[in-house]
Amino acid sequence: MIKNEQFSLTASSGKPIIGDYTVDDQQQNSSIIIFVHGFKGFKDWGAHHLVARYFAKNGYPYLKFNLSHSGVSPEKPNDVTDMEAFASNTISMELADLNTVINYMEQTYHPKNIYLIGHSRGGGLVILQAAKDPRITKLITWAAIADFSSLWKPEQEKEWVKTGKIYVENARTKEKMPLNSTLLQDFNSNKESFNIIQAAARVKIPWLILHGDEDVNVKFSVAQELAQKQLKAEIQKIEGANHVFGASHPYQETELPKHLQEACDKSLEFLKRK
């Protein structure tokens, strides 16, 4: 039977990291997947609940969580509504959150293997983590970015520093979402350690790069760039897939969208390999 256990941790900022752990108690596996969502994403966006069940059903317990400054509050788990938290997010905070979750999972479940899956900006985070954390056994990136600064326009930076804020649009709700200049300052202060391309070259564990060739948000060429930096990584194209592999929010269907199903199948096949 598939069970879903909720948990709440405290981030270094004091904000909560809300997560859930999906497991089939008939198929306990000593390996656990941790999923990291992307920019403007969250653990319950779209079809993430079906992805969690898919892996749990196939013997891989699946842990997903909201980054502490994702803008999703415990009271409103299905949308980004806490704009103050969203605005004050930084890459340093996200990496600290990921580390907090890995520590919690290790101490609570004592897995033999830890696998990371990251989508979009979450893909960038898991590449950085996998390059430096010996606890990680395998890495999978879905439509990963190769540069954190690709999430804003270079011409916005001057205005950003001057006014302390820029706005990005939520494509679904058309809402203007604020980003404080602390994000830019954090990025500029840590350019070397936040360099995803350099980190890709240091990844020593098995790595699967999945990317749709109709991704207009992060072009397929970005996946190729990552694969060129890490020649041992395996790159697979999902034909016709967009940035979210056909999912949408809210997602009302009971089956995974075709392209996301393909991404899950390819990921599972990769994890099953010795």
Side-chain angles (χ1 to χ4, degrees):
M1 193 173 100
I2 293 183
K3 292 188 305 190
N4 186 270
E5 300 166 10
Q6 312 290 316
F7 65 87
S8 178
L9 310 172
T10 306
S12 49
S13 63
K15 282 216 167 280
I17 300 169
I18 305 294
D20 57 64
Y21 177 70
T22 306
V23 62
D24 185 340
D25 53 12
Q26 306 297 310
Q27 294 205 66
Q28 285 287 11
N29 193 312
S30 54
S31 305
I32 291 178
I33 298 167
I34 297 177
F35 173 75
V36 185
H37 67 76
F39 183 50
K40 296 185 273 191
F42 44 96
K43 75 176 180 71
D44 295 315
W45 188 93
H48 288 330
H49 61 297
L50 296 178
V51 172
R53 287 183 70 86
Y54 169 89
F55 283 104
K57 209 167 62 187
N58 283 287
Y60 291 87
Y62 194 90
L63 187 152
K64 56 189 172 69
F65 66 99
N66 287 334
L67 291 158
S68 61
H69 286 70
S70 62
V72 177
S73 67
E75 299 75 39
K76 293 188 177 170
N78 288 313
D79 235 323
V80 179
T81 53
D82 185 347
M83 291 304 162
E84 200 180 317
F86 183 85
S88 57
N89 193 17
T90 65
I91 298 150
S92 290
M93 284 178 187
E94 294 194 329
L95 287 166
D97 288 351
L98 177 54
N99 211 46
T100 298
V101 169
I102 294 170
N103 290 343
Y104 160 78
M105 194 267 302
E106 201 181 27
Q107 288 154 17
T108 310
Y109 301 108
H110 313 290
K112 195 172 76 178
N113 297 300
I114 300 174
Y115 304 140
L116 294 182
I117 299 180
H119 174 252
S120 194
R121 182 154 98 175
L125 295 172
V126 295
I127 291 167
L128 294 187
Q129 191 72 27
K132 66 180 184 191
D133 190 339
R135 296 172 295 179
I136 311 307
T137 324
K138 284 189 179 184
L139 171 66
I140 300 174
T141 52
W142 292 353
I145 61 168
D147 181 356
F148 289 109
S149 68
S150 65
L151 296 163
W152 59 83
K153 295 181 176 73
E155 60 268 23
Q156 288 180 292
E157 291 189 8
K158 210 170 164 184
E159 180 74 9
W160 204 356
V161 172
K162 199 169 127 190
T163 64
K165 200 167 276 190
I166 59 167
Y167 291 86
V168 292
E169 188 176 86
N170 182 326
R172 185 170 51 84
T173 63
K174 303 300 175 208
E175 187 176 8
K176 296 281 186 278
M177 304 166 81
L179 292 173
N180 295 345
S181 56
T182 42
L183 174 61
L184 182 64
Q185 287 157 14
D186 181 57
F187 175 73
N188 286 335
S189 305
N190 297 283
K191 266 193 173 152
E192 198 62 31
S193 57
F194 292 169
N195 189 311
I196 298 168
I197 288 291
Q198 282 179 17
R202 297 194 302 273
V203 172
K204 298 286 185 280
I205 57 174
W207 176 12
L208 175 65
I209 299 169
L210 292 177
H211 214 107
D213 62 354
E214 289 190 19
D215 187 338
V216 294
N217 303 78
V218 183
K219 297 276 189 278
F220 184 74
S221 57
V222 173
Q224 293 171 309
E225 194 184 353
L226 290 169
Q228 278 162 358
K229 275 292 165 191
Q230 183 44 266
L231 297 175
K232 290 200 193 89
E234 185 182 326
I235 179 171
Q236 292 196 38
K237 184 192 288 183
I238 310 275
E239 298 276 353
N242 64 10
H243 189 58
V244 289
F245 302 96
S248 56
H249 186 77
Y251 189 77
Q252 313 287 10
E253 309 295 320
T254 53
E255 301 291 321
L256 284 164
K258 184 179 78 160
H259 293 136
L260 188 52
Q261 181 71 59
E262 192 181 332
C264 288
D265 290 343
K266 286 181 187 298
S267 300
L268 181 66
E269 191 262 325
F270 170 75
L271 293 178
K272 281 179 167 175
R273 270 188 246 154
K274 289 287 179 267

